[in-house]
Amino acid sequence: MHSPTRGAADPVPNKPAHTLSAAGDLLRALAAPVRIAIVLQLREADRCVHELVEALGVAQPLISQHLRVLKAAGVVHGERHGREVVYRLVDEHLAHIVVDAVTHVDEGPRGINSGGLGTEEL
């Protein structure tokens, strides 16, 4: 049954299995709270690792590990500037996915986030 509050959406053609698999891989790469926080930071500006460490209050090895996952998934790109690597989002669409998810949760209880995530999970 369709949601009574949802308007008619354009039909989405069936997608090949490899496309759905790649979309699942992308969503898994974005699924960790620290990686969500990194994407939100990179949405504001390009950042190097030490800036992400300061902004998120997470240890440098953990930030680097999460950046590797995001880089492997094609979410971020790193560019060396001297001794530092500056990271940026590959595509603004990726930021929209994260912002929409965070906004959805912030809109209020819908059975998705009754307990909430604490900053200790970042």
Side-chain angles (χ1 to χ4, degrees):
M1 180 173 173
H2 291 266
S3 171
T5 60
R6 185 183 307 174
D10 292 334
V12 177
N14 289 334
K15 299 293 182 184
H18 70 275
T19 299
L20 298 176
S21 178
D25 291 343
L26 174 62
L27 291 173
R28 275 188 290 286
L30 294 171
V34 172
R35 293 194 287 267
I36 291 170
I38 289 171
V39 170
L40 292 174
Q41 286 291 313
L42 294 178
R43 180 176 176 255
E44 294 176 13
D46 298 353
R47 306 239 196 266
C48 57
V49 173
H50 76 83
E51 291 172 319
L52 292 168
V53 167
E54 289 175 24
L56 302 177
V58 177
Q60 183 273 323
L62 189 57
I63 292 289
S64 294
Q65 177 185 354
H66 285 292
L67 284 168
R68 277 192 295 278
V69 171
L70 292 170
K71 190 173 179 182
V75 175
V76 302
H77 173 76
E79 185 175 305
R80 185 163 292 283
H81 289 202
R83 293 176 48 192
E84 295 184 323
V85 177
V86 177
Y87 289 90
R88 65 173 172 80
L89 291 176
V90 169
D91 188 326
E92 197 60 32
H93 287 106
L94 301 167
H96 289 293
I97 293 168
V98 171
V99 169
D100 286 349
V102 171
T103 300
H104 178 75
V105 172
D106 277 347
E107 285 176 347
R110 296 178 193 221
I112 291 176
N113 188 24
S114 58
L117 288 177
T119 55
E120 69 280 355
E121 296 181 39
L122 283 177

